[in-house]
Structure formats: structure tokens, C-alpha cells
Amino acid sequence: MTDRNQTARTGPALAVSVALERDGKFLLVLRANPPAQDMYAFPGGRVDPGERLEDAALRELEEETGLRASNPRAFATFDLGSDEPDARVSSHFFLTVFLADDPGGEPQALDDAKAIGWFAPGEIRSLPTPGSMVICMDMLASGEHRLRTE
């Protein structure tokens, strides 16, 4: 099996996302496609072959929201594996979450984002999100940085 990250799928795919904060709220997109379809998450996606993680994070943010952030800083990395109950679909990603400087402007739901919005940490807990989002929000709230895999 092949994908955008590897010529032969032998290990986890690389993915990135950006935790962009504005006035105490975080920008989330409602995903239109797997692996987090119909869930809210930070804007992000797969890293292209040869692409630096920082560049991929800013590219994905712009593709999904139209915002051009700057100064990406690695915040946390998660080892995300999932298997569907029927075992037909399996995915494994190393996801690095970045913080970036807010460029201002109004985000738009683009690419695979069905909807977009700014949410306070308490609101995020009531949304359908991947488990890593809750962990990441707790880390952001506590000021904890984790640059190792979970």
C-alpha cells in the first residue's frame, strides 16, 4: 500500500496540526474526511515527502482556513494508531502539534474542513473530537510541553 508520505507503507505516516489561539479560544475545523471524519480538530494534515514539519503545518493551516500564520513551534507529538471495528481500515500517524502566531483575519472552511470556528477549552470538551485533542487541550491549559510520542 502506498500513500503521500512513503513509497511503500512500512511505518507511521507523518501528520501535523496547528493550535492557533485567539482571545482564549482555539481554531478548530470539522473534518469532512477520515481519519477524523465528522470530528473537530486543529487544522492540519499529512506531511508531503521531503517537506519539513514546520512548513507542512503552515501549509495545512492555510489550505484549510486561508490563514497564513508564522513562527511555528513544535508543542507535542502523539503516536496515533487506530483500527476500525471491522478491521478493513487501519491508520497509524505520528502527529506533531504546533503553536503559531495568529495572523489575524477571518478563517474560512476550505479543503476538507466542513465547518470552522473558535472554541474555548471548555466548549471543546463537549464537541466530538479525537482523544488526542482532549489530551492536547489539557497540556495547553497546564502549560505542559511534550515533544515525545505518547
Side-chain angles (χ1 to χ4, degrees):
M1 175 179 215
T2 61
D3 66 21
R4 293 179 2 181
N5 289 354
Q6 303 158 342
T7 56
R9 189 138 186 188
T10 59
L14 298 179
V16 292
S17 64
V18 178
L20 196 63
E21 183 180 6
R22 182 183 291 174
D23 300 324
K25 295 184 176 185
F26 290 88
L27 184 63
L28 301 183
V29 297
L30 179 61
R31 297 251 168 247
N33 301 311
Q37 187 172 16
D38 298 323
M39 299 179 108
Y40 283 89
F42 296 128
R46 294 179 188 224
V47 177
D48 289 335
E51 188 175 31
R52 291 176 354 128
L53 296 177
E54 297 87 347
D55 296 336
L58 295 180
R59 174 185 54 76
E60 286 287 344
L61 177 69
E62 185 175 359
E63 285 177 1
E64 293 185 0
T65 70
L67 298 179
R68 293 182 132 189
S70 60
N71 192 24
R73 301 165 309 278
F75 176 74
T77 299
F78 298 91
D79 183 348
L80 304 177
S82 71
D83 290 309
E84 296 296 322
D86 63 7
R88 288 183 301 160
V89 178
S90 176
S91 62
H92 188 194
F93 294 90
F94 282 143
L95 171 69
T96 300
V97 179
F98 284 84
L99 304 177
D101 294 345
D102 181 5
E106 288 305 312
Q108 302 171 27
L110 306 170
D111 197 33
D112 79 333
K114 288 199 302 192
I116 193 164
W118 296 96
F119 299 91
E123 294 174 300
I124 292 171
R125 290 186 175 282
S126 67
L127 298 172
T129 62
S132 60
M133 277 292 304
V134 175
I135 295 168
C136 195
M137 288 308 307
D138 289 345
M139 291 169 58
L140 286 163
S142 72
E144 180 183 354
H145 290 66
R146 189 171 299 156
L147 295 178
R148 63 183 195 283
T149 58
E150 279 301 298

